[in-house]
């Protein structure tokens, strides 16, 4: 298979006219040299305003996106609620001369929200100090290996905290450590005087400069206290983005910031709905001090969410990256089959949506605005977009449910733009949220590239809230998938007067076995490292080269090729275009960004014409390409397929340029 790919490149490199080749990804290409060279024509005089929000992010708790992902907490099951029976992820640690046990205890607990504690009993014996010669090792405690390892990095400060209580005031020391799985202590500290009442204890652990980064490490808490020690919410944070307490992981935030996203659609996705009413995203349980958040079973994706990243953290995440929140509110549909009927049964959920909007936007004179101020953010957030539900369907009587939310929300907040998740007839939504996963790979993604060219501009605007080209090399998209995404995005960009927002989904994936719920995801990571997929770099190229006006862009003599579906997708083989283009102008900078996607396995000469602007001969070309469609990024090779930028010459009102095989190019043209 690999040989045939190489052959394809060799043939295309010498301009071979015909080759019938099957490539590793299952994509069958039949390149045919078009009778005449394609022409991409950009009419800079025929411009429409481009939505400033076109490129954003969609996020939910899937694939350990926050737990063990963006939310920087390192301790898994910090409040001991993952299992009703056992202290999952916590193991008993005993020094050689010690005996002891750990159990879940529901009789002693911090508060009603965290109704269970972890009880440590050091049963070594009360007189043990007196016989210590040599000193006995008599401490007992617990270890937690985090979300597939505690990341240990040099010269790094970790903030530990825990709630604890003893049977009597304890003058001795609790020992906290980050230690290697095979021995060795990377950082340690002591906490003294644990009270007979529940109290919070905080400490700092700092690693040395000479440590080699590793995630083969665990957090350990030890006590030599005879009798019980109860623990609640044991937490360990590394440094966070902007040093926010209860904050987010810096490397992942850096990857997001580099995309310059304009909005964040949250909190789902299926995570919003849950399988049952009591496992939906209930914002009221996700706010306030973290030790008063009960957490909930993420039934949609089958793991526990501590809700440390709750509504306020979503909003400060938006604030930190200057994104507009696109707030999805629960609308009565669960994935488990329950649909709350429109009318009186739905009213509590409509009220919840009003309360949630007030929490985001209300000033301190309002009940929920005051709650937000109490939670640490007195200033209201800007909110324009509210989505009613997620992926509703006609069977679930969405029309009536949407109307009920619409009437009540619009009456109180007429300025809000309300998004329907389905075409409805009861009311005219301001936007409709389209979703499409191109499961047959490039074939269907490319077919979708024209889907809005003729859309009715009188209808609601479009949020394309979830899309991805899915193909042969999970867990993150390869070059073939990224080309499908790029082709599709040219279609969104040409229509950015109508499709005003778009977001790839899912955003995040914890790469550890057990971390994955979904096959193709934008950004991958483990405890220590992270990388952007090839599609991530397509997103970055598109969002960072985007103007304020859309220029009408057409292709003549469009080359086509015959493709079959990737990864068992069900689409029939089809002749589809292999060349795609869109253009926008940044008026202030005086540049035109011309995007060209050559999906074929051979380089493609194209005649380019820019009408209605004077284009300077020198500009810039940013190109993303690689030899094979299956080339992909990974933790080991994070930038294997990444864009490069170089000067471009010979530009003008009319010029010819050859676009490499399997490439996405942004030409930055200086244009008056
Ligand atoms: O992105 C993964 C899931 O796909 C989302 O949760 C849901 O909205 C869609 O079906």
């Amino acid at each position: 298979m690999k040989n045939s790919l190489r052959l394809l490149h060799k043939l295309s490199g010498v301009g071979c006219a015909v080759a019938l080749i099957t490539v590793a990804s299952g994509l069958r290409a039949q390149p045919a040299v078009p009778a005449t060279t394609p022409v991409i024509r950009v009419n800079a005089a025929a411009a429409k305003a481009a939505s400033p929000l076109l490129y954003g992010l969609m996020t939910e708790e899937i694939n350990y996106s926050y737990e063990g992902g963006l939310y920087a907490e390192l301790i898994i099951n910090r409040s001991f609620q993952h299992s009703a029976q056992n202290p999952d992820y916590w193991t008993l640690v005993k020094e050689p001369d010690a005996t002891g046990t750990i159990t879940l205890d529901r009789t002693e607990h911090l508060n009603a929200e965290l109704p269970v504690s972890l009880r440590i009993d050091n049963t070594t014996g009360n007189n043990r100090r007196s016989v210590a010669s040599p000193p006995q090792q008599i401490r007992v405690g617990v270890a937690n290996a985090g979300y597939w390892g505690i990341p240990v990095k040099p010269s790094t400060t970790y903030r530990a905290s825990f709630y604890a209580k003893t049977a009597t005031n304890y003058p001795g020391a609790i020992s906290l450590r980050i230690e290697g799985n095979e021995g060795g202590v990377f950082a340690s500290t002591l906490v003294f005087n644990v009270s007979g009442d529940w109290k919070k204890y905080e400490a700092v652990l700092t690693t040395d400069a000479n440590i080699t980064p590793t995630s083969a490490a665990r957090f350990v808490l030890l006590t030599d206290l005879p009798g019980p020690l109860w623990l609640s919410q044991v937490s360990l944070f590394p440094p966070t983005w902007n040093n926010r307490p209860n904050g987010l992981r810096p490397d992942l935030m850096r990857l997001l910031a580099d995309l310059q996203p304009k909005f964040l659609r949250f909190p789902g996705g299926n995570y919003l709905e849950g399988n049952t009413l009591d496992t939906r995203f209930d914002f009221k349980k996700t706010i306030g001090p973290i030790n008063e958040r009960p957490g909930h079973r993420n039934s949609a994706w089958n793991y526990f969410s501590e809700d440390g990243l709750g509504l306020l953290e979503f909003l400060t995440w938006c604030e930190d990256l200057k994104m507009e929140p696109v707030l999805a509110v629960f609308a009565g549909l669960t994935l488990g089959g329950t649909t709350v009927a429109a009318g009186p049964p739905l009213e509590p959920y409509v009220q919840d949506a009003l309360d949630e909007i007030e929490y985001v936007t209300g000033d301190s004179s309002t009940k929920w605005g005051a709650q937000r101020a109490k939670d640490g953010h007195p200033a209201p957030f800007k909110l324009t977009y509210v989505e009613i539900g997620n992926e509703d369907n006609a069977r679930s009587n969405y029309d009536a449910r949407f109307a009920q939310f619409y009437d009540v929300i619009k009456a109180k907040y007429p300025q809000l733009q309300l998004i329907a998740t389905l075409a409805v007839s009861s009311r005219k939504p301001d936007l409709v949220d389209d979703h499409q996963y191109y499961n047959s790979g490039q074939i269907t993604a490319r077919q979708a590239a024209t889907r809005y060219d003729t859309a009715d501009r009188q209808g609601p605007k479009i949020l394309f809230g979830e899309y991805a080209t899915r193909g042969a090399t999970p867990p993150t998209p390869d070059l073939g998938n990224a080309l499908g995404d790029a082709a599709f995005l040219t279609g969104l960009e040409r229509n950015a007067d109508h499709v005003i927002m778009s977001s790839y989904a899912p955003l995040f994936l914890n790469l550890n076995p057990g971390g994955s719920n979904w096959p193709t995801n934008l950004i991958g990571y483990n405890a220590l490292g992270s990388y952007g997929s090839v599609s991530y770099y397509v997103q970055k190229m598109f969002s960072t080269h985007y103007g304020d006006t859309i220029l009408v862009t057409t292709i003549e003599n469009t080359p086509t090729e015959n493709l079959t579906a990737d990864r068992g997708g069900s689409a029939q083989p089809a002749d589809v275009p292999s060349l795609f283009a869109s253009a926008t102008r940044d008026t202030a900078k005086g540049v035109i960004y011309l995007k060209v996607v050559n999906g074929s396995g051979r380089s493609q000469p194209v005649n380019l014409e820019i009408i209605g602007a004077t284009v300077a001969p020198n500009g810039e070309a940013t190109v993303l390409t690689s030899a094979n469609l299956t080339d992909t990024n990974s933790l080991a090779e994070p930038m294997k397929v990444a864009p490069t930028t170089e000067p471009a010459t010979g530009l003008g009102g009319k010029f010819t340029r050859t676009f490499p095989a399997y490439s996405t190019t942004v030409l930055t043209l200086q244009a008056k």
Side-chain angles (χ1 to χ4, degrees):
M1 286 297 214
K2 280 196 181 130
N3 285 342
S4 56
L5 266 172
R6 272 199 289 274
L7 178 61
L8 176 62
H9 273 276
K10 216 169 150 203
L11 291 171
S12 63
V14 295
C16 180
V18 182
L20 176 57
I21 290 163
T22 304
V23 295
S25 64
L27 188 110
R28 186 158 53 85
Q30 229 175 356
V33 169
T36 41
T37 304
V39 180
I40 295 179
R41 191 167 288 120
V42 177
N43 188 344
K48 287 183 276 190
S51 165
L53 298 178
L54 183 60
Y55 297 108
L57 305 175
M58 184 272 166
T59 180
E60 65 174 314
E61 181 60 273
I62 182 174
N63 300 320
Y64 289 81
S65 286
Y66 317 142
E67 305 285 322
L70 184 67
Y71 182 56
E73 173 65 83
L74 297 178
I75 303 296
I76 188 168
N77 195 16
R78 69 182 179 188
S79 300
F80 315 115
Q81 300 192 84
H82 285 214
S83 152
Q85 286 78 40
N86 302 305
D88 285 1
Y89 305 103
W90 292 94
T91 51
L92 175 67
V93 177
K94 289 180 289 186
E95 288 187 330
D97 303 323
T99 56
T101 57
I102 56 171
T103 44
L104 290 182
D105 189 344
R106 289 179 189 282
T107 57
E108 276 295 347
H109 51 264
L110 182 65
N111 53 33
E113 288 80 18
L114 303 184
V116 61
S117 64
L118 183 65
R119 175 179 168 144
I120 303 174
D121 281 285
N122 187 334
T123 55
T124 313
N126 285 338
N127 61 348
R128 57 209 194 289
R129 275 197 190 86
S130 62
V131 295
S133 179
Q136 287 179 290
Q137 294 196 292
I138 44 128
R139 291 182 296 183
V140 170
V142 281
N144 185 296
Y147 297 88
W148 299 283
I150 298 286
V152 181
K153 297 180 182 171
S155 303
T156 301
T157 297
Y158 298 79
R159 299 191 179 280
S161 66
F162 60 93
Y163 293 82
K165 164 185 166 135
T166 55
T168 53
N169 291 343
Y170 173 54
I174 304 281
S175 168
L176 306 180
R177 292 179 185 168
I178 300 173
E179 62 177 39
N181 291 344
E182 307 303 331
V185 176
F186 295 114
S188 67
T189 191
L190 298 171
V191 172
F192 296 98
N193 299 326
V194 176
S195 155
D197 299 315
W198 280 109
K199 281 201 178 135
K200 184 176 185 180
Y201 299 86
E202 292 176 281
V204 160
L205 297 95
T206 303
T207 54
D208 288 341
N210 57 1
I211 282 172
T212 305
T214 179
S215 60
R218 58 188 197 162
F219 176 72
V220 173
L221 183 154
L222 290 166
T223 172
D224 62 359
L225 167 74
L229 169 75
W230 289 275
L231 295 174
S232 187
Q233 199 163 77
V234 182
S235 170
L236 183 69
F237 269 83
T240 58
W241 181 262
N242 283 351
N243 293 319
R244 278 194 193 274
N246 197 44
L248 307 180
R249 189 172 141 168
D251 60 331
L252 297 179
M253 284 294 273
R254 169 48 50 209
L255 282 165
L256 298 183
D258 288 349
L259 290 175
Q260 296 177 15
K262 298 299 182 292
F263 71 88
L264 180 72
R265 173 175 175 253
F266 67 88
N270 292 348
Y271 181 61
L272 171 72
E273 301 152 301
N275 284 341
T276 57
L277 283 173
D278 61 354
T279 57
R280 73 188 190 281
F281 182 86
D282 181 352
F283 93 92
K284 290 172 184 165
K285 295 181 179 162
T286 74
I287 56 176
I290 57 169
N291 67 312
E292 292 173 17
R293 300 185 196 179
H296 74 287
R297 177 142 292 280
N298 173 2
S299 56
W301 302 113
N302 203 25
Y303 55 94
F304 194 85
S305 176
E306 305 277 354
D307 292 331
L309 199 165
L311 179 57
L312 186 60
E313 289 75 22
F314 279 112
L315 294 165
T316 50
W317 175 7
C318 289
E319 194 167 74
D320 281 352
L321 297 188
K322 299 186 173 48
M323 305 181 288
E324 287 232 15
V326 175
L327 176 69
V329 296
F330 178 76
L333 175 73
T334 71
L335 300 169
T338 301
T339 305
V340 182
L346 198 59
E347 279 167 11
Y349 302 98
V350 177
Q351 185 59 48
D352 273 351
L354 288 178
D355 295 345
E356 191 166 1
I357 293 166
E358 189 173 287
Y359 185 89
V360 179
T361 64
D363 62 30
S364 301
S365 68
T366 64
K367 176 180 172 192
W368 289 101
Q371 179 65 49
R372 186 202 59 245
K374 190 173 161 212
D375 293 343
H377 201 287
F381 292 91
K382 180 186 174 210
L383 179 70
T384 305
Y385 298 96
V386 173
E387 181 161 7
I388 312 300
N390 174 63
E391 292 191 349
D392 290 83
N393 54 62
R395 288 187 319 279
S396 66
N397 200 15
Y398 184 61
D399 234 306
R401 286 187 289 117
F402 181 80
Q404 192 170 340
F405 277 87
Y406 183 99
D407 291 348
V408 173
I409 294 174
K410 280 278 185 186
K412 187 160 181 194
Y413 300 102
Q415 75 281 13
L416 288 180
Q417 299 277 292
L418 299 186
I419 305 170
T421 71
L422 190 69
V424 286
S425 53
S426 56
R427 300 290 180 276
K428 184 183 171 195
D430 299 298
L431 287 94
V432 170
D433 181 4
D434 266 353
H435 293 181
Q436 192 66 59
Y437 292 95
Y438 298 109
N439 292 330
S440 294
Q442 283 201 56
I443 187 168
T444 43
R446 291 194 198 181
Q447 285 166 333
T450 50
R451 95 187 243 176
Y452 293 108
D453 285 349
T454 53
D456 172 14
R457 265 38 184 185
Q458 303 313 310
K461 304 257 186 233
I462 302 296
L463 151 67
F464 215 105
E466 295 182 29
Y467 71 88
T469 307
R470 294 162 66 176
T473 55
T476 55
D478 61 14
L479 178 65
N481 305 150
L483 283 166
D485 291 335
F488 175 65
L489 282 180
T490 61
L492 298 192
E493 198 171 271
R494 279 194 311 277
N495 295 286
D497 59 319
H498 182 61
V499 182
I500 64 166
M501 293 186 267
S502 68
S503 42
Y504 187 103
L507 180 61
F508 285 133
L509 165 75
N510 188 313
L511 292 155
N512 283 284
S516 170
N517 296 115
W518 195 264
T520 310
N521 309 281
L522 199 65
I523 292 171
Y525 49 85
N526 64 10
L528 266 188
S530 53
Y531 71 93
S533 66
V534 192
S535 287
Y536 167 89
Y537 287 106
V538 164
Q539 299 285 319
K540 187 174 170 186
M541 285 172 72
F542 273 69
S543 63
T544 58
H545 298 87
Y546 180 63
D548 50 84
T549 49
I550 318 158
L551 309 183
V552 170
T553 305
T554 53
I555 306 183
E556 277 172 31
N557 307 326
T558 307
T560 62
E561 59 185 349
N562 190 267
L563 297 185
T564 55
D566 271 0
R567 204 211 259 158
S570 55
Q572 292 300 308
D575 286 327
V576 292
S578 61
L579 187 68
F580 304 84
S582 60
T584 60
R585 185 175 202 160
D586 186 318
T587 318
K589 288 188 183 158
V591 296
I592 292 174
Y593 299 116
L594 172 57
K595 290 162 186 149
V596 178
V597 181
N598 175 20
S600 99
R602 59 187 179 80
S603 55
Q604 177 66 65
V606 178
N607 293 328
L608 296 117
E609 291 182 24
I610 319 295
I611 302 164
T614 306
V615 176
N618 295 326
E620 233 175 44
T622 302
V623 182
L624 179 74
T625 188
S626 192
N628 305 303
L629 288 173
T630 51
D631 284 350
T632 199
N633 295 338
S634 61
L635 284 172
E637 292 183 289
M639 302 285 281
K640 178 173 176 159
V641 189
T644 54
T645 298
E646 59 193 34
T649 54
L651 311 173
K654 281 191 177 187
F655 61 99
T656 300
R657 188 176 176 91
T658 297
F659 294 90
Y662 302 141
S663 68
T664 300
T665 301
V666 181
L667 288 177
T668 303
L669 309 173
Q670 301 298 325
K672 287 191 187 141

